[in-house]
């Protein structure tokens, strides 16, 4: 059996004449938490759907848990837990009824006990009779996680599981994910949050259907070869206007009370900064953050593919 | 793993039952619609129209002829409004709807009656509205058998009793099958089942798609046939509840006589209910949204009502309409149920109508399973 839970190459999906996922290669090791990032509409959901047999790729090949992505979709479905981007359990069924339904579908052995265990594990036990439709975002997310774990899958595909969930619930959720990974589960997770990206073992960045960067957080930052200056002080608008358009300045982004100015040509960027630099602000040269890198990637992608 | 399994089928069945129980409004409608329809039609069943305009063509002026006319008048069903001088005139009156009946008493009526030759009295009826003519015809039949009992005394008394002194013939125009009002109830049962069953299952899969739960279902190993049959089974139960309500109301509210074996009706109805559910499920695999699904259901419902023999007598329809009609499950079900409930038909009598029903069920299911998309493409 291969070391990779997911090992695909050249995966492509077109809707009409629009290429939504373009020749993506991806390898995810067993037991790894793999982050999948990218702006809305970049093709993350489409890619995940192709992995679990919900969409048929137009091109590409590969395996998921050792099963052929194109031909063995039924086997893949049995061993994968997929949490959809939109809540997709039955709102008119209670938590317990939803879990029981899924457990029956997968023919989980000793079903009643399995449902009870999963209720307790995700601390849903004392709400088990509540209808899913009455739950708040965080509880819905827990139900969804419990449901996609109930058949003990080897691979979890989580599509924006923490969208619309409060910070505490998000943290609990990630603790749970790390626990599962430690137990040997492989997790592919999409997110828009940088702090979550940083909790992944490795990640990939997607824009306009292209895979633009991948690796550990450090790899991704290093490969971007981005230099960033952080400016703090009053009237940052004026500074931003003065910097924009100068050679070497690729991004000027406001982060709270600071301005992040980045570019890939360090020498040019330093020259541009030198021209604008004044005594009224603090100017610090720093390592680019993951967010700087992603914004940079997205801008470049827009110029190249949009 | 690729095969149909009972545990997954059962999972779907249970889920559908729970959802059905939670959806009070829909459930109420499923029980309410048949009762409401029955009430509406019930008035038609109960109505016992009297004083219907009648033309008299009285050629014989003898005492027995007059006695018969008087008795018909007295029954209150017939209001003799016209005297027809000729057969042609009588036909015209009936055709134009100026009268509902024509009573023909032939010229040598009294003489032949006294000779024991059982003269013919012809009662022509415009039976296009069977609810109107039914009771009157029934009254006339009884009357013809007994009207002369008082007058036929002495040696003539032998004419009393069977087969009766008069050969009383009814000729129903415009409705050769001569459907009586009782036909409405078995017919209604089929119509109600067609309407509710098709609509409800037409929504079944489109609803999953619109609510987003389909994506989840597709991500599990569940097979198309398991989903489809699992969604059908709970509604078979509902169909039986509807049937039972209609039969109970027919029997106890409207006093419709129910001949034949009710058990047989229940057994045969399984095929009919399942056939309608299969059509609905198939629609729901084709429809893009719930509105489309409902439209498709009505697209099916309309010919079912119009061409099945429920509204118009089947044999009175043009060939093409009969062709369409004989494909529809309701057509065969009506014949089966009318056969059993009104004529007391047994299994052998209804078998020829059962096969088309079963064939329809199988084909509808196959199309549905074939059309059920296992991906979101
Ligand atoms: N079934 C579909 N038919 C046509 N276009 C689609 C379909 N699903 C997704 N798309 C398009 O594909 C693109 C990528 O969508 P998606 O994979 O949902 O992106 P993400 O999950 O990264 O936000 C979007 O532009 C979206 O409109
Ligand atoms: Mg998405």
């Amino acid at each position: 059996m291969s070391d990779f839970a997911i090992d695909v190459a050249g995966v492509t999906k077109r809707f009409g004449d629009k290429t939504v996922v373009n020749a993506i290669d991806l390898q995810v090791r067993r037991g790894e938490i793999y982050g999948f990032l990218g702006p809305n509409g970049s093709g993350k959901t489409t890619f995940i759907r192709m992995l679990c047999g919900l969409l048929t790729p137009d091109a590409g090949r590969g395996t998921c848990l050792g099963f052929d992505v194109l031909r063995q979709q039924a086997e893949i479905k049995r061993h994968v837990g997929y949490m959809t981007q939109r809540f997709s359990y039955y709102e008119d069924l209670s938590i317990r009824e939803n879990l029981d339904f899924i457990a029956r579908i997968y023919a989980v052995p000793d079903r009643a006990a399995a449902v009870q265990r999963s209720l307790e594990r995700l601390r849903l036990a004392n709400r088990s009779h509540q209808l899913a439709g009455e739950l708040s975002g965080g509880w819905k997310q827990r139900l969804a996680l419990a449901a996609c774990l109930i058949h003990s899958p080897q691979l979890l595909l989580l599509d924006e599981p923490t969208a619309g969930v409060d910070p505490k619930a998000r943290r609990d959720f990630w603790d749970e994910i790390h626990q599962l990974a430690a137990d040997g589960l492989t997790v592919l997770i999409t997110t828009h949050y940088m702090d979550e990206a940083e909790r992944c073992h490795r990640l990939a960045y997607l824009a306009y259907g292209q895979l633009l960067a991948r690796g550990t957080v450090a790899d991704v930052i290093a490969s971007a070869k981005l230099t960033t200056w952080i400016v703090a002080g009053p009237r940052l608008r004026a500074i931003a206007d003065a910097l924009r358009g100068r050679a070497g300045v690729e991004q000027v982004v406001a982060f709270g009370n600071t301005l992040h100015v980045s570019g890939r040509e360090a020498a040019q960027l330093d020259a541009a900064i030198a021209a604008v630099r004044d005594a009224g602000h603090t100017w610090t040269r720093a390592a680019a953050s993951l967010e700087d890198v992603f914004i940079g990637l997205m801008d470049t992608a827009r110029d190249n593919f949009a | 793993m690729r095969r149909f399994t009972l545990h997954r089928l059962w999972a779907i069945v249970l889920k559908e039952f729970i959802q059905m129980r939670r959806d009070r409004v829909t459930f109420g409608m499923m029980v309410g619609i048949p009762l409401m329809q029955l009430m509406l039609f019930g008035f038609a069943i109960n109505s016992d129209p009297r004083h219907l305009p009648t033309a008299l063509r009285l050629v014989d002026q003898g005492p027995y002829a007059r006695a018969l006319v008087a008795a018909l008048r007295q029954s209150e069903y017939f209001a003799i409004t016209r005297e027809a001088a000729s057969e042609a005139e009588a036909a015209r009156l009936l055709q134009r709807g100026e009268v509902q009946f024509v009573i023909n008493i032939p010229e040598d009526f009294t003489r032949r009656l006294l000779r024991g030759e059982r003269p013919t009295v012809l009662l022509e009826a415009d039976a296009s509205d069977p609810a109107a003519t039914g009771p009157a015809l029934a009254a006339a039949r009884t009357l013809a058998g007994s009207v002369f009992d008082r007058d036929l005394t002495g040696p003539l008394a032998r004419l009393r009793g069977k087969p009766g002194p008069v050969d009383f013939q009814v000729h129903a125009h415009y409705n050769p099958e001569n459907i009586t009002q009782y036909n409405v109830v078995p017919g209604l049962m089929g119509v109600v089942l067609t309407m509710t069953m098709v609509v409800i299952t037409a929504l079944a899969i489109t609803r999953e798609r619109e609510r987003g739960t389909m994506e989840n279902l597709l991500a599990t190993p569940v097979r198309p046939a398991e989903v489809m049959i699992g969604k059908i089974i709970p509604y078979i139960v509902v169909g039986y509840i509807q049937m039972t309500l209609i039969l109970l109301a027919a029997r106890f509210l409207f006093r419709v006589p129910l001949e034949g074996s009710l058990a047989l009706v229940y057994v045969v109805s399984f095929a009919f209910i399942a056939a309608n559910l299969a059509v609905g499920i198939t629609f729901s695999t084709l429809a893009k949204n719930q509105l489309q699904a409902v439209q498709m259901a009505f697209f099916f419902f309309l010919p079912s009502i119009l061409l099945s023999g429920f509204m118009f007598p089947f044999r009175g329809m043009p060939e093409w309409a009969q062709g369409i009609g004989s494909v529809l499950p309701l057509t065969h079900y009506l014949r089966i149920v009318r056969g059993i409930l009104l004529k007391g038909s047994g299994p052998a009598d209804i078998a020829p109508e059962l096969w088309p029903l079963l064939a329809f069920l199988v084909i509808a299911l196959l199309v549905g399973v074939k059309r059920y998309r296992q991906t979101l493409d």
Side-chain angles (χ1 to χ4, degrees):
Chain A
M1 198 174 253
S2 109
D3 279 347
F4 295 113
I6 300 173
D7 187 0
V8 293
V11 173
T12 301
K13 183 72 189 177
R14 283 181 283 271
F15 289 119
D17 51 8
K18 193 170 159 203
T19 304
V20 168
V21 171
N22 194 2
I24 286 189
D25 304 342
L26 189 75
Q27 293 183 322
V28 179
R29 294 189 196 104
R30 286 183 188 266
E32 189 167 49
I33 301 178
Y34 202 98
F36 219 46
L37 286 98
N40 287 325
S42 56
K44 303 182 296 292
T45 300
T46 305
F47 181 76
I48 288 183
R49 285 175 173 168
M50 286 190 282
L51 284 183
C52 60
L54 286 179
L55 287 173
T56 319
D58 292 314
R61 67 201 144 69
T63 59
C64 192
L65 297 171
F67 298 113
D68 190 296
V69 175
L70 294 175
R71 283 191 306 273
Q72 294 177 291
Q73 288 152 337
E75 284 82 354
I76 292 175
K77 285 176 184 180
R78 286 185 65 80
H79 299 288
V80 168
Y82 172 40
M83 182 166 162
T84 52
Q85 181 170 354
R86 177 179 163 193
F87 181 75
S88 59
Y89 291 89
Y90 296 96
E91 305 219 327
D92 47 356
L93 258 53
S94 71
I95 292 181
R96 184 185 293 276
E97 286 160 349
N98 268 302
L99 292 177
D100 194 64
F101 170 66
I102 299 293
R104 279 179 195 274
I105 290 281
Y106 284 99
V108 172
D110 200 1
R111 194 185 65 253
V115 168
Q116 192 59 36
R117 265 201 311 280
S118 113
L119 283 170
E120 275 157 20
R121 169 160 196 172
L122 288 147
R123 275 162 284 147
L124 291 162
N126 52 4
R127 302 176 170 254
S128 65
H129 291 290
Q130 216 168 334
L131 294 188
E134 296 167 357
L135 299 173
S136 66
W139 288 105
K140 274 188 176 161
Q141 172 225 47
R142 261 179 206 212
L143 164 58
L145 183 63
C148 65
L149 282 171
I150 203 152
H151 59 292
S152 318
Q154 296 164 30
L155 170 65
L156 272 188
L157 302 173
L158 309 174
D159 198 359
E160 291 190 33
T162 54
V165 170
D166 68 61
K168 169 80 169 70
R170 266 195 323 125
R171 173 164 306 176
D172 292 348
F173 184 83
W174 271 91
D175 289 345
E176 186 68 36
I177 296 297
H178 272 277
Q179 186 59 51
L180 291 165
D183 295 344
L185 207 68
T186 310
V187 184
L188 179 67
I189 181 168
T190 75
T191 179
H192 288 298
Y193 296 105
M194 290 306 133
D195 59 319
E196 295 187 355
E198 281 162 5
R199 295 191 70 168
C200 296
H201 297 129
R202 287 196 300 154
L203 45 87
Y205 187 83
L206 213 67
Y208 302 98
Q210 319 283 332
L211 210 158
L212 299 179
R214 71 177 130 200
T216 61
V217 174
D219 291 344
V220 169
I221 292 178
S223 69
K225 299 200 177 62
L226 206 63
T227 310
T228 296
W229 281 85
I230 299 174
V231 191
R235 287 180 282 95
L236 289 172
R237 270 287 289 284
I239 299 282
D241 289 342
L243 282 167
R244 267 196 197 102
R246 283 180 185 271
V249 177
E250 291 176 22
Q251 292 175 40
V252 183
V253 185
F255 278 89
N257 297 324
T258 62
L259 208 60
H260 287 213
V261 188
S262 321
R264 274 168 299 185
E265 298 297 331
Q268 279 188 19
L269 181 68
D270 291 348
I273 296 287
V276 179
R277 189 166 185 162
D278 60 13
H281 296 86
T282 24
W283 298 75
T284 330
R285 198 166 187 273
S289 73
L290 197 55
E291 190 150 357
D292 296 328
V293 171
F294 286 158
I295 292 171
L297 285 171
M298 196 164 79
D299 288 346
T300 332
R302 186 165 53 225
D303 298 341
N304 293 347
F305 303 109
Chain B
M1 191 153 52
R2 291 175 172 284
R3 286 197 338 264
F4 187 92
T5 67
L6 280 179
H7 68 84
R8 290 197 295 253
L9 174 69
W10 186 236
I12 302 274
V13 170
L14 282 181
K15 182 209 94 177
E16 292 292 323
F17 262 122
I18 299 173
Q19 289 186 303
M20 191 158 79
R21 213 179 60 216
R22 300 263 153 82
D23 189 357
R24 294 266 162 77
V25 176
T26 307
F27 193 73
M29 294 243 291
M30 287 187 292
V31 175
I33 286 177
L35 286 182
M36 196 183 74
Q37 294 233 2
L38 202 62
M39 288 300 168
L40 290 177
F41 280 88
F43 289 113
I45 296 170
N46 261 351
S47 72
D48 187 15
R50 294 176 186 234
H51 306 289
L52 296 167
T54 303
L56 182 65
R57 206 166 100 71
L58 183 63
V59 187
D60 181 64
Q61 297 291 339
Y64 285 95
R66 305 207 146 269
L68 178 61
V69 171
L72 287 171
R73 263 206 182 105
Q74 277 215 320
S75 76
E76 294 190 347
Y77 283 103
F78 304 94
I80 294 170
T81 51
R82 306 289 288 258
E83 302 261 347
S86 68
E87 242 175 77
E89 191 190 343
R92 206 170 50 243
L93 289 172
L94 201 60
Q95 165 106 54
R96 287 191 191 148
E98 287 180 36
V99 296
Q100 187 102 31
F101 301 101
V102 175
I103 299 171
N104 289 286
I105 300 183
E107 105 188 272
D108 48 358
F109 178 81
T110 303
R111 194 162 43 94
R112 294 184 58 195
L113 180 93
L114 293 174
R115 282 196 201 151
E117 286 177 5
R118 304 193 66 236
T120 303
V121 171
L122 180 62
L123 180 58
E124 294 176 273
D126 171 357
S128 58
D129 180 3
T133 47
L137 289 177
R141 276 205 186 87
T142 337
L143 207 125
S146 59
V147 58
F148 301 122
D149 284 4
R150 207 155 26 96
D151 302 319
L152 297 170
T153 51
L156 291 177
R158 69 185 158 84
L159 295 177
R160 283 151 59 169
K162 301 263 157 117
V166 179
D167 173 26
F168 189 80
Q169 294 222 350
V170 172
H171 190 174
H173 291 264
Y174 316 127
N175 187 352
E177 285 191 337
N178 194 16
I179 300 167
T180 75
Q181 77 274 31
Y182 295 148
N183 272 358
V184 170
V185 167
L188 199 61
M189 202 156 79
V191 169
V192 166
L193 287 174
T194 303
M195 188 164 81
T196 47
M197 297 289 102
V198 174
V199 171
I200 277 185
T201 43
L203 295 176
I205 288 173
T206 33
R207 194 190 300 124
E208 298 253 7
R209 213 172 286 134
E210 279 186 16
R211 291 189 184 168
T213 51
M214 198 64 194
E215 184 171 3
N216 212 330
L217 209 53
L218 289 177
T220 72
V222 76
R223 308 288 307 159
E226 291 158 358
V227 175
M228 298 187 45
I229 297 175
K231 281 176 173 290
I232 283 179
I233 289 174
Y235 292 104
I236 289 183
V237 176
V238 173
Y240 273 121
I241 296 176
Q242 290 188 330
M243 254 184 78
T244 308
L245 283 174
I246 293 177
L247 286 175
L248 283 175
R251 182 74 193 81
F252 296 105
L253 229 50
F254 302 112
R255 314 222 165 271
V256 175
L258 302 177
E259 313 274 333
S261 154
L262 279 181
L264 187 59
V265 172
Y266 274 85
V267 170
V268 173
S269 297
F270 185 88
F272 176 68
I273 293 172
N276 281 307
L277 292 171
V279 173
I281 281 278
T282 301
F283 284 162
S284 80
T285 59
L286 299 172
K288 293 226 160 23
N289 52 48
Q290 297 199 36
L291 180 64
Q292 260 187 22
V294 171
Q295 285 170 336
M296 285 184 187
F298 273 92
F299 184 75
F300 178 76
F301 183 57
L302 224 54
S304 286
I305 272 215
L306 295 177
L307 306 181
S308 64
F310 175 73
M311 280 287 200
F312 312 116
F314 193 80
R315 274 181 234 116
M317 299 191 309
E319 294 260 324
W320 63 265
Q322 291 195 23
I324 299 174
S326 41
V327 175
L328 300 169
L330 184 58
T331 307
H332 301 283
Y333 185 67
L334 286 184
R335 291 182 192 158
I336 292 174
V337 173
R338 281 175 178 164
I340 300 173
L341 290 183
L342 304 175
K343 298 186 218 152
S345 303
D349 305 316
I350 59 163
E353 303 291 344
L354 194 55
W355 298 124
L357 211 58
L358 291 172
F360 187 94
L361 165 64
V362 170
I363 290 169
L365 267 183
L366 285 180
V367 173
V369 169
K370 198 114 195 92
R371 285 289 320 182
Y372 181 98
R373 275 159 291 172
Q374 272 198 288
T375 61
L376 295 167
D377 287 283

